[in-house]
Amino acid sequence: MDPSEFRRHGHALVEWIADYLSGSERYPVLPRVVPGEVRRALPEHGPEAGERFDEIFADFERILVPALTHWNHPGFFAYFPATTSASGVLAEFLSAALNQQAMLWRTSPAATELEEVSLAWLRGLLGLPSAFEGVIYDTASISSLHALAAARQAAVPDVRERGLVARSDIAPLRVYCSEHAHSSIDKAVLTLGLGQSSLRRIPVDAEHSLQSHALRAALDEDRRAGIRPVAVVATIGTTSTTAIDPVNAIADVCRDHRIWLHVDAAYAGVAAMLPECASYFAGWDRADSIVINPHKWLFTPFDLSAFYCRRMEVVREAFSLVPEYLKTLEASAGARNLMDTGIQLGRRFRSLKLWMILRHFGAARLRSILAEHIRLAHEFAARVDEHPDFERLAPVPFAVVCFRANPRALHLGAAELDLFNQRLLDAVNETGEVFLSHTRINGAFVIRIAIGHLRTTGAHTRRAWELLSQHTAALAIAS
Ligand SMILES: *Cc1c(COP(=O)(O)O)cnc(C)c1O
């Protein structure tokens, strides 16, 4: 592509993206396609001769756009938010052009040092002390994997040399988390060779928070049985209900047992910026490591997960491995080589988008957007609470509401109630105006609304409520 052609296509693309970002409401949130539709629309082999970009782009619009789930749609209320922003998109565009590969300081001084600076800014906004060194990974799953790898390294310092297989000299290792901890913690113990049976899930209380006295009892019991506890994962903002584990009490247990404390705040961590949320984060600064995902609720294009660690030297002990051809003198001169703090060698210039977003929005605006999302969630929760045919099933510390319809007049039993809510969710999602998802709480089917998009306003959450209450009434009449 010559420079003039690049300019032409580039300008057209910017036009397209500007329309997309401001007009994603034109599309149904969920695409109306069936499995295999995209695959069948595309040829089995790539072309032998290169094609014109116009033609490729026409197929992008014709085949791919109708099969997109619009995460940027202001009516996207499913799972957790993951919304982009114009400054983040521009940063990604630049990052692709610059193609920085920040394994060593030398291979990109800018990317290496900007990662340090932007994570320090974010750390300051979150109120964490500077003892936490930061590194960017792609996802929270990978951040938590690194946390538990470091915990394993701290517990078994020769694990690097000798592994864990067929060792009679070490007790079985165990990791603890709540019943509601994210599946990425299971995947981490699987990957680290600890086995899923090494993950002990601790019961929760009525608000779905880990019971710290049960944690202490489990650790004592395991020690007596000859098991070696290595880490506890506390969650601030669980995936199902955004419950908050009592981090301070858990930190006491970890201190007494001298084991690693990892805090998974992938979704909710950014809310630590808000003074009104401070109490939810009490004690998280006592953790050994913390993960927060700016790609969830900080308007950062996927992917960017921030990992903070008080003991990054243990992460380095676990992973640093420098082949001769990558040895440089700068490391001894105080330069950080990011390849030492993780599994992967090559790494993208992700800090560029975080830096541009933090600058372009400014802390005040970020705080006010997050606070508005929380306010909208409280407003929605109040509607649920006031309506005789709806009930709320969990507290709302952040911007997710868990609820279900329960039309009084129908006197539905547990199984019928699940079915009713499943039908309600399907009916509401079929409108294309909104997309909500579900979870199960104590076995019951529960609808979740997660508010967190840059362009979501009260009009969108009120419309979601209108659709839910209308379809509840219609389904109740039909049944
Ligand atoms: C979303 C989420 C994860 C996983 O995040 P990825 O970045 O997709 O790996 C882990 N833990 C919690 C609490 C989450 O909300």
Side-chain angles (χ1 to χ4, degrees), residues 247-264:
V247 179
N248 242 331
I250 295 171
D252 288 343
V253 176
C254 290
R255 178 202 56 210
D256 296 346
H257 281 268
R258 311 172 111 263
I259 61 174
W260 194 280
L261 172 57
H262 176 57
V263 171
D264 180 358

Side-chain angles (χ1 to χ4, degrees), residues 143-444:
S143 294
S144 293
L145 174 64
H146 283 85
L148 293 181
R152 187 185 66 165
Q153 178 69 34
V156 186
D158 67 356
V159 68
R160 233 184 113 118
E161 291 303 315
R162 300 181 54 203
L164 291 173
V165 176
R167 288 189 62 173
S168 53
D169 61 323
I170 48 172
L173 308 180
R174 191 158 275 180
V175 175
Y176 304 79
C177 64
S178 104
E179 285 172 51
H180 288 287
H182 190 265
S183 56
S184 56
I185 307 306
D186 296 76
K187 286 197 182 177
V189 300
L190 297 181
T191 308
L192 292 168
L194 303 179
Q196 211 167 358
S197 63
S198 73
L199 188 62
R200 182 160 178 182
R201 289 191 176 262
I202 306 298
V204 295
D205 63 18
E207 300 206 325
H208 318 294
S209 309
L210 182 148
Q211 299 186 26
S212 59
H213 61 87
L215 173 69
R216 194 179 281 280
L219 280 153
D220 291 340
E221 182 188 70
D222 283 352
R223 286 230 192 251
R224 282 195 301 275
I227 289 166
R228 172 97 189 266
V230 293
V232 178
V233 179
T235 310
I236 300 180
T238 58
T239 314
S240 209
T241 66
T242 71
I244 299 160
D245 290 339
V247 179
N248 242 331
I250 295 171
D252 288 343
V253 176
C254 290
R255 178 202 56 210
D256 296 346
H257 281 268
R258 311 172 111 263
I259 61 174
W260 194 280
L261 172 57
H262 176 57
V263 171
D264 180 358
Y267 156 68
V270 295
M273 284 182 206
L274 303 174
E276 60 269 35
C277 289
S279 63
Y280 306 145
F281 295 88
W284 79 327
D285 53 341
R286 297 171 63 195
D288 296 287
S289 57
I290 298 175
V291 57
I292 293 146
N293 274 357
H295 71 224
K296 271 192 172 139
W297 198 13
L298 205 67
F299 323 117
T300 307
F302 196 76
D303 49 16
L304 196 160
S305 179
F307 179 71
Y308 288 104
C309 188
R310 277 184 181 276
R311 300 168 70 187
M312 203 64 98
E313 73 284 357
V314 184
V315 178
R316 290 195 179 88
E317 254 168 59
F319 292 111
S320 175
L321 211 163
V322 187
E324 185 55 39
Y325 54 85
L326 292 177
K327 289 199 172 130
T328 67
L329 292 175
E330 291 102 27
S332 51
R336 230 167 48 129
N337 290 326
L338 290 169
M339 68 174 192
D340 292 337
T341 44
I343 298 166
Q344 65 181 113
L345 172 66
R347 43 205 328 292
R348 323 204 287 118
F349 195 177
R350 290 194 184 84
S351 57
L352 187 62
K353 55 188 168 184
L354 183 58
W355 179 67
M356 288 193 169
I357 286 165
L358 293 177
R359 286 190 65 172
H360 187 71
F361 281 84
R365 175 131 171 76
L366 289 172
R367 278 190 216 101
S368 78
I369 299 170
L370 297 182
E372 173 63 6
H373 290 156
I374 295 173
R375 191 191 68 77
L376 291 173
H378 287 162
E379 188 182 275
F380 188 94
R383 289 205 169 86
V384 169
D385 293 346
E386 283 158 16
H387 198 297
D389 290 343
F390 281 86
E391 54 198 19
R392 187 155 59 81
L393 289 117
V396 183
F398 303 108
V400 173
V401 186
C402 295
F403 64 97
R404 68 178 171 187
N406 187 359
R408 299 295 128 158
L410 299 184
H411 303 291
L412 299 175
E416 296 161 315
L417 203 50
D418 284 358
L419 194 62
F420 186 93
N421 280 279
Q422 171 82 67
R423 290 206 178 113
L424 172 62
L425 183 61
D426 289 346
V428 165
N429 286 342
E430 255 165 47
T431 64
E433 289 186 63
V434 294
F435 174 33
L436 285 78
S437 59
H438 81 280
T439 185
R440 279 191 186 267
I441 303 179
N442 302 325

